[in-house]
Every structure is written in structure tokens, then in C-alpha cells.
Amino acid sequence: MPDFAAPVERLIDELKHLPGIGQKTAQRLAFFLLRAAPEDALALADAIRDAKEKIRECSTCHNITDADPCLYCVGPTRNKKTICVVEEAHNILAIEKTRTYNGMYHVLGGSLSPLSGRGPDQLHIKSLIERLKGGTVEEIIIATNPTAEGEATAVYLSKLLKPLGVRVTRIGVGIPVGADLEYADEVTMLKAMEGRRDL
Amino acid sequence: MPDFAAPVERLIDELKHLPGIGQKTAQRLAFFLLRAAPEDALALADAIRDAKEKIRECSTCHNITDADPCLYCVGPTRNKKTICVVEEAHNILAIEKTRTYNGMYHVLGGSLSPLSGRGPDQLHIKSLIERLKGGTVEEIIIATNPTAEGEATAVYLSKLLKPLGVRVTRIGVGIPVGADLEYADEVTMLKAMEGRRDL
């Protein structure tokens, strides 16, 4: 006899596919949905369906969007001379929240990771080079994650883009604001020392 | 401008209604679903819809089921003389996993909690008393959680059921197997001492 009725087992299985959701959490979520009012549970089902139907990739920057080109690509006040390169679409939000960057974006769709089979061809690099052809773009800010893979991607892109006559910069790495030096790992501390500035 | 396109915002909002899912986790899950293959994401939406349509409460024991009466209530090998009372349907699984209990179940649908407005009328207590009328049931095992509310519910049920001529028992409370006495809280330790047995 299975642990639960078939539709419940199926729901738990599907929930377990979500990242960070194991058997116990999937069970808890499934029972929550079963207890919830039908309209509330179905609202989630509909939201998933709706998002999958309406959301696609911006053909210019590969951001996720319900209008192509996306809001950032068509924004009349946005500075077309700078492109900020990020790994994933949701990284854009972290940058937008600073309210200081007003340029364009380009979503790579990940970072270089030979072990996971992600080479340059699996990332949106060709379309980035394509965007430089008009001659409008003056600076590429590489905002990949400061991880081993993100750094490797940054170095790769830098070598590829600099010969095309564009300025290539990398976001600063160091101790986060509000953190305590005591708890900084060695590599971050090293990067913070390297990235020191005159006062 | 909102942080994301409207269908994405809606999906994040719906995911945030799930227990233990905050803004950051909801964003992470939403972006995972957006990146996933359409058939995988829609499989989750369908599983929610399917479960909500097919799953209902067993009219006898209030367990969640796709067939009424549920598997435990109609099981030909199950002992109809004992009813184990639990707070929620998923508690049944924890007991089934011991592979030692072969009786019936009764799901209360929660515990007594005057502060949250859950009195005896909000729990499935009337239907439990109804089940005793045939005279088949000899023992009621109260397996509500060993929390303040679960204990209060156990005491309430015990006072209600004992006059009906049925044996009422409570599951043992004490130090969990494999745990270290050093980390046991005072109340659990006290209960473990009270519940000591001759060797």
C-alpha cells in the first residue's frame, strides 16, 4: 500500500522537483494545499500555467518578460551605451534595487561550467557580441557571481570582448556592507585587500 | 515599475502563500519553474488541480482519501476494536510506518486551541462518539501531539470518552530513541521520568 492516495503521492512527487524541497517539506506543502480552500490552491495552479504561457525570453537580452523586447530593452530613459552582463534573469532585480544603474542588461543563462557540460555555446554569448556591432555600446559590466564559475566566465568574456574595442569592467568583490571582518572567509578578505582604494 | 512582469509577480505571490515560503524562496521557486521545461512546470499545476478535484475526506474517519470510505476504514485485515485519534491526516503515516498498529484511525482536524478559535465543535469529535455507538470499539488511543494544545485535547477527549465505557490510552512521551539526555528539555525529561517502567 502506498503512503497516500495516488493524487496526493503525485502532488508530493511534483513538489519534490522544486529546488530545496525534500520529502518532508513536499508532504507539508501538499497537505497545506489539500487543506486550503479550493480557489486558493487552484490559484497557484493557474499562476504556474499562466506564467509558463505568457512569459518568454526577450530576444535581445534574454531577460524573462511578457513583452518582447523587454521593459529594459525598450525603456526610453535607459542608457544604451552600457550593458550589464548577468548569469540569470533574477540577478537583474538585485542590480535594479540599487537605483543607480540605468543601462541595458544581458542574461547569459548561467556560467561556464565544463563539469556540468555548460560551455560558451550553451550561454547567450553570440547574441551579446551581436549587440556590440552597432557601435553604440561603450562598456560591458560583467556582473556574474563571484564564484569560481562566475569568475571563469568573467575572464572568458573579458578576453573575448576587449579585442572588439569595448571597455570591459567587473563588479567589485569584498566584505559586504554591515558584515564583520572576523567572519569573512580568506578569499573574500584577499579580494577586499586587492580591491582597496585611496581615501 | 514592478520588480517582474505581471505573470511572474502573480506566481511569486501565490507561492508565498505556502507555509514556510517567504519572498526570496518564492522568487527562487518561480524562476525555477520559469526555467523548467513546460511539461515539468505544468505537471505541478496539473497535480495540484488533480489532487484538489479527487481528494476528499473519508466520511468515517476524516482521513484524506480518493475513495470513501478510505483504505484504512475498509481494510479487511484491520482491527476494528481500536481507534487511534490523531490531529491531522498526515500523522497517520507516522504511525503506519511503525508497522505495528493495525487498528482504525480518526482524524480530529487539529487540536483544541481557544486562542485560535478552535473549540470542540471545530474538531471531528461528534463523529468519533458516533463511531463508539456500535459497541465494537474497545480502546481509543489518543495520539495528539505532545504540545500544550495536544495535551489539552487529550485530556478533554479522555473525560468525554471514559464515561462511555471505552478504554482511553495516551501515547508515551519521553526521550526520543537515539537522542542524548543532555539535550532533552526539562518538560520532556520530567515526562520521561514520570513514564518510567520496571525492567
Side-chain angles (χ1 to χ4, degrees):
Chain A
M1 194 156 90
D3 286 345
F4 302 108
V8 182
E9 288 283 351
R10 184 181 156 207
L11 178 56
I12 292 173
D13 273 350
E14 290 299 337
L15 288 166
K16 264 159 62 183
H17 290 159
L18 296 173
I21 308 284
Q23 174 72 24
K24 285 260 173 185
T25 310
Q27 271 183 33
R28 196 162 47 90
L29 296 178
F31 278 90
F32 172 86
L33 287 168
L34 289 170
R35 265 198 310 269
E39 59 272 25
D40 290 343
L42 296 182
L44 173 58
D46 289 343
I48 295 170
R49 186 171 289 280
D50 190 55
K52 287 306 276 188
E53 276 167 7
K54 290 193 188 148
I55 296 293
R56 59 213 129 136
E57 242 180 54
C58 172
S59 57
T60 306
C61 75
H62 307 283
N63 180 22
I64 56 158
T65 176
D66 54 351
D68 187 12
C70 77
L71 284 169
Y72 301 114
C73 287
V74 296
T77 63
R78 312 247 0 157
N79 170 14
K80 301 213 179 331
K81 294 180 183 171
T82 313
I83 296 179
C84 178
V85 177
V86 294
E87 290 183 21
E88 301 289 352
H90 58 265
N91 297 143
I92 292 176
L93 184 64
I95 296 166
E96 282 297 302
K97 282 198 168 156
T98 65
R99 294 171 189 272
T100 53
Y101 181 73
N102 193 36
M104 314 303 284
Y105 288 102
H106 193 85
V107 178
L108 289 176
S111 53
L112 291 176
S113 173
L115 289 175
S116 313
R118 279 201 310 277
D121 291 345
Q122 276 71 50
L123 303 181
H124 299 304
I125 293 177
K126 269 185 200 156
S127 56
L128 175 61
I129 292 169
E130 206 64 36
R131 291 176 74 180
L132 302 182
K133 285 195 175 153
T136 319
V137 180
E138 295 171 1
E139 181 179 356
I140 303 272
I141 303 172
I142 303 181
T144 53
N145 291 324
T147 56
E149 296 178 351
E151 290 293 345
T153 311
V155 171
Y156 177 87
L157 285 177
S158 162
K159 284 186 180 165
L160 194 72
L161 298 173
K162 270 188 184 165
L164 303 176
V166 68
R167 187 182 168 203
V168 181
T169 56
R170 178 86 175 103
I171 52 162
V173 172
I175 313 293
V177 177
D180 193 316
L181 285 199
E182 198 177 344
Y183 303 113
D185 64 288
E186 294 162 44
V187 183
T188 302
M189 196 64 228
L190 177 74
K191 293 276 184 186
M193 293 297 281
E194 282 177 2
R196 66 190 182 276
R197 293 187 191 187
D198 290 312
L199 281 179
Chain B
M1 194 155 89
D3 286 344
F4 302 107
V8 183
E9 288 283 351
R10 185 182 155 207
L11 178 56
I12 293 172
D13 273 351
E14 290 300 337
L15 288 166
K16 264 159 61 183
H17 291 157
L18 296 173
I21 308 282
Q23 174 72 26
K24 285 261 173 183
T25 310
Q27 271 182 33
R28 197 162 47 90
L29 295 178
F31 277 91
F32 172 85
L33 287 169
L34 289 169
R35 264 199 311 268
E39 58 272 24
D40 290 343
L42 295 182
L44 173 58
D46 289 343
I48 295 170
R49 186 171 289 280
D50 189 55
K52 287 307 274 187
E53 276 167 7
K54 291 193 188 148
I55 296 293
R56 61 215 129 135
E57 243 180 54
C58 172
S59 56
T60 306
C61 74
H62 307 284
N63 181 22
I64 55 160
T65 176
D66 55 351
D68 186 14
C70 77
L71 283 169
Y72 301 114
C73 287
V74 295
T77 63
R78 313 248 356 160
N79 170 15
K80 300 215 178 333
K81 294 180 182 171
T82 314
I83 296 179
C84 178
V85 177
V86 293
E87 291 184 18
E88 302 289 353
H90 59 265
N91 297 144
I92 291 176
L93 183 64
I95 295 165
E96 281 298 302
K97 282 199 168 156
T98 65
R99 294 170 188 274
T100 53
Y101 180 72
N102 194 35
M104 314 302 284
Y105 288 101
H106 193 85
V107 178
L108 289 177
S111 54
L112 291 175
S113 173
L115 288 175
S116 313
R118 280 202 309 278
D121 291 345
Q122 276 72 51
L123 302 182
H124 300 303
I125 293 177
K126 269 184 200 156
S127 55
L128 175 61
I129 292 168
E130 206 64 35
R131 292 177 72 181
L132 301 182
K133 284 193 178 157
T136 318
V137 180
E138 295 171 0
E139 180 179 356
I140 304 272
I141 303 172
I142 304 182
T144 54
N145 291 324
T147 57
E149 295 177 351
E151 289 295 345
T153 312
V155 171
Y156 176 87
L157 285 178
S158 162
K159 284 188 182 163
L160 194 72
L161 299 173
K162 270 186 186 165
L164 304 176
V166 69
R167 187 182 168 206
V168 182
T169 55
R170 178 85 175 104
I171 52 163
V173 172
I175 312 293
V177 177
D180 193 317
L181 285 198
E182 196 178 346
Y183 303 114
D185 64 288
E186 294 162 44
V187 183
T188 301
M189 196 63 229
L190 177 73
K191 293 276 183 185
M193 293 298 281
E194 282 177 2
R196 68 189 181 276
R197 293 187 191 187
D198 290 313
L199 280 179

